Amino acid sequence: MSAQLKLYNTATRAVSEFIPLQPGKVGIYLCGATVQAPPHIGHVRSGVNFDILRRWLTASRYDVTFIRNVTDIDDKILHKAAHENIPWWAVAQKYERAFTEAYRALNVLPPTYEPRATGHITQMIELMQLLIHNGSAYAPGNGDVYLDVRHLKSYLTLSNQKLDDLQSAEDADLTYKKDPRDFALWKAAKPGDPSWPTPWGAGRPGWHLECSAMAHAYLGESFDIHGGGLDLIFPHHENEIAQSQSAGWGFANIWMHNAWVTASGEKMSKSLGNSLQVPEILKQVRGIELRWYLGSAHYRSMLEFSFNALQEAATNFCRIEGFLKRATDVLEVTPDGVIHEGFAEAMNEDLAVPTALAVIAEIMRNGNNALAAGDMVGVKTAASEIRGALAILGCDPFDTIFSNDENADAKVLDGLVSLALEQRAAARVRKDFAAADAIRDQIAALGVVIEDTAQGTRWSIG
RNA sequence: GGUCGGAUGGCCGAGAGGCGAGGCUCAGGACUGCAAAUCCUGCUACACGGGUUCAAAUCCCGUUCCGACCUCCA
């Protein structure tokens, strides 16, 4: 692999060379979903961005351990449960499945492990005991446990804020908190809420504790990369750092944050309704096309959503896919993916996908010219390089996850279309273009597109 | 009030002192019975006002506008 990978680190606000803690190995913790609503495309953009990182690291011969959690207990889940009149665990499971389905549709690789918050209560209690024992946290007797934010001098270094500049929460209750900015590691059980027993009374986890506990459980005291959406920098990631470092752990070496999908310049929110939920979008474009779109902007840039731009991305992808299919027909084998040097350079530069896409466009132009010239070596090279690049972006059309219907129906369809094309070919031979065009028009009306090439007529659905 | 991002051609979207990123759309051309696909050519942009420099979309100062976070958001 050519140059060394460089990554932007939110903590240092600079792009720097990636040096793993252990040579050849990378540990990544990504904040996954709080499963309290269906996934919208902003959620899955995060999944796609970090999936590209993971695939690139793997292609760069790192042994990657990728942990993406599910937060399956929190205030909103309990709210929803009350509102929908179903158990909280049913809410969590329902939306966890929806996320899993969305990730699958977009070819986001399953993480090495996907821990749930409720499965790690023991680790959370152990962490709280440690924090109380060393004076970083306190249990004031009401069943809550708080972290003492003034105890850790490095608090707020990730977001570069000063504790005294923070606007205090309006509803801060100082009956038990020493400082209004102290945050709850653990919340005392309210009647009807789920709870787990602890030395300080029955209760449930606060929002941030689970990530510290689970990152520690699977990646150890220090690990390479911690990721998540930009909006998690404060408070979530600051609080994770506070908990973990108060426990004496090194925690994350590099912090990476993906930007949002925006709509009309504004961060997407649930108030936009259902239209930007993943299953809705997938009624308009294929999963591979949505992924291409979501991955096409640099991960640190806002992606301004529009159906028009989505459609453009799909068109662009179809051209690339079309080249690969034509190349495969001519080569009579599916080319293996290889990594083009220019593509690697772009990816090594903090995952500069837009630059990488320009490289792909150039390779494709060369490939199409090679096809026209009958240069089989050139076709094979281009097809291999494009396939290699698409695999990193998770958009390899030959990936079995995207080729779902190699079944009996497909064979019947192929036979029927071929029959029609033979009729048309016969008409063309006798220069009966009216008949030939009539056949084409009829099958076109059914959605079958025809291309006449030097090697014969190709057809596709689209 | 504090912290952090933005503003680039018809649209999307890179770049971060000097060789017109790229894509999509559109127009013209080549190829074709016609289409389609493909290729070639064209469409020379960086919010505004100053400044630094041989050279500024990029650096500095100021201005306008937009957005995000400030304790349970990807």
Side-chain angles (χ1 to χ4, degrees):
Chain A
M1 206 67 31
S2 52
Q4 181 63 44
L5 175 63
K6 295 189 197 117
L7 294 173
Y8 181 83
N9 184 355
T10 306
T12 58
R13 301 190 185 270
V15 175
S16 51
E17 192 173 321
F18 172 66
I19 301 168
L21 294 172
Q22 291 179 55
K25 293 190 175 183
V26 185
I28 303 178
Y29 186 94
L30 174 64
C31 282
T34 298
V35 283
Q36 43 99 2
H40 59 60
I41 55 174
H43 294 122
V44 288
R45 182 190 184 191
S46 180
V48 167
N49 285 158
F50 283 97
D51 190 53
I52 291 172
L53 168 67
R54 178 192 185 175
R55 286 170 187 263
W56 183 238
L57 287 167
T58 301
S60 304
R61 295 166 201 260
Y62 286 106
D63 176 9
V64 181
T65 302
F66 191 93
I67 305 296
R68 187 187 64 213
N69 71 291
V70 173
T71 296
D72 59 346
I73 177 81
D74 97 315
D75 285 3
K76 285 184 179 168
I77 293 171
L78 298 180
H79 259 137
K80 199 117 190 176
H83 191 253
E84 296 188 6
N85 202 25
I86 54 176
W88 66 274
W89 38 263
V91 171
Q93 187 70 93
K94 174 178 158 187
Y95 294 122
E96 183 181 327
R97 279 200 200 98
F99 270 85
T100 301
E101 180 53 32
Y103 287 135
R104 200 200 58 77
L106 295 195
N107 194 22
V108 173
L109 294 170
T112 314
Y113 190 59
E114 189 166 24
R116 296 193 185 99
T118 54
H120 298 77
I121 302 293
T122 305
Q123 288 87 342
M124 294 187 212
I125 291 173
E126 284 168 0
L127 175 53
M128 287 190 286
Q129 281 175 319
L130 174 58
L131 293 173
I132 290 173
H133 184 73
N134 74 15
S136 306
Y138 55 98
N142 63 340
D144 288 350
V145 179
Y146 299 111
L147 193 92
D148 182 350
V149 295
R150 294 204 176 266
H151 190 262
L152 186 73
K153 289 182 184 62
S154 59
Y155 189 53
L156 301 182
T157 48
L158 185 65
S159 58
N160 195 28
Q161 298 178 97
K162 293 190 178 72
L163 193 57
D164 292 325
D165 289 341
L166 292 186
Q167 288 180 356
S168 294
E170 299 276 323
D171 57 351
D173 180 0
L174 289 180
T175 316
Y176 298 102
K177 283 187 180 180
K178 291 183 189 171
D179 184 291
R181 287 151 301 211
D182 289 351
F183 61 90
L185 300 171
W186 192 259
K187 298 184 166 193
K190 291 189 203 122
D193 277 1
S195 67
W196 289 261
T198 74
W200 316 285
R204 61 184 176 86
W207 178 30
H208 317 291
L209 189 62
E210 81 279 17
C211 285
S212 290
M214 293 189 286
H216 180 254
Y218 300 103
L219 297 172
E221 295 192 359
S222 298
F223 54 94
D224 297 291
I225 298 170
H226 191 130
L230 208 51
D231 43 359
L232 296 182
I233 293 175
F234 184 87
H236 187 53
H237 288 162
E238 289 288 10
N239 289 354
E240 282 186 45
I241 293 170
Q243 295 155 359
S244 303
Q245 295 192 345
S246 291
W249 303 339
F251 211 51
N253 206 18
I254 297 173
W255 288 86
M256 293 178 69
H257 294 95
N258 65 279
W260 302 303
V261 176
T262 56
S264 305
E266 290 183 25
K267 180 184 175 188
M268 243 170 64
S269 68
K270 290 161 205 96
S271 64
L272 281 166
N274 298 336
S275 61
L276 298 182
Q277 288 176 6
V278 174
E280 289 302 311
I281 302 283
L282 290 180
K283 288 176 184 168
Q284 303 197 23
V285 296
R286 295 175 294 157
I288 198 170
E289 291 165 344
L290 175 55
R291 178 170 175 130
W292 181 257
Y293 173 61
L294 292 175
S296 65
H298 186 90
Y299 76 92
R300 285 194 281 120
S301 296
M302 301 293 172
L303 177 63
E304 170 65 17
F305 178 82
S306 72
F307 286 101
N308 189 40
L310 175 64
Q311 208 53 59
E312 283 181 5
T315 302
N316 176 225
F317 182 75
C318 284
R319 281 193 64 217
I320 297 168
E321 191 178 32
F323 166 72
L324 272 187
K325 293 206 166 141
R326 286 193 302 278
T328 303
D329 285 351
V330 168
L331 295 169
E332 295 179 339
V333 293
T334 307
D336 291 331
V338 300
I339 300 298
H340 180 272
E341 195 180 337
F343 178 82
E345 268 175 41
M347 294 304 286
N348 277 332
E349 205 54 47
D350 192 31
L351 307 178
V353 173
T355 306
L357 297 188
V359 173
I360 291 174
E362 191 190 332
I363 298 170
M364 195 173 70
R365 205 162 38 245
N366 294 338
N368 275 319
N369 281 322
L371 265 178
D375 168 12
M376 289 305 124
V377 174
V379 171
K380 184 162 189 269
T381 301
S384 295
E385 289 171 346
I386 287 180
R387 192 170 179 220
L390 293 190
I392 300 300
L393 301 176
C395 294
D396 178 1
F398 298 115
D399 194 321
T400 50
I401 200 161
F402 292 124
S403 57
N404 38 15
D405 49 17
E406 282 301 318
N407 52 28
D409 287 357
K411 281 187 183 152
V412 172
L413 183 63
D414 186 55
L416 289 172
V417 174
S418 297
L419 196 62
L421 293 182
E422 280 167 26
Q423 297 292 314
R424 176 170 170 268
R428 291 178 73 206
V429 166
R430 63 177 188 264
K431 306 260 187 223
D432 183 356
F433 296 120
D437 289 355
I439 292 170
R440 182 172 62 194
D441 290 348
Q442 283 176 45
I443 62 174
L446 299 171
V448 175
V449 179
I450 292 176
E451 296 168 34
D452 292 323
T453 75
Q455 288 77 35
T457 302
R458 300 180 72 246
W459 68 273
S460 57
I461 296 174

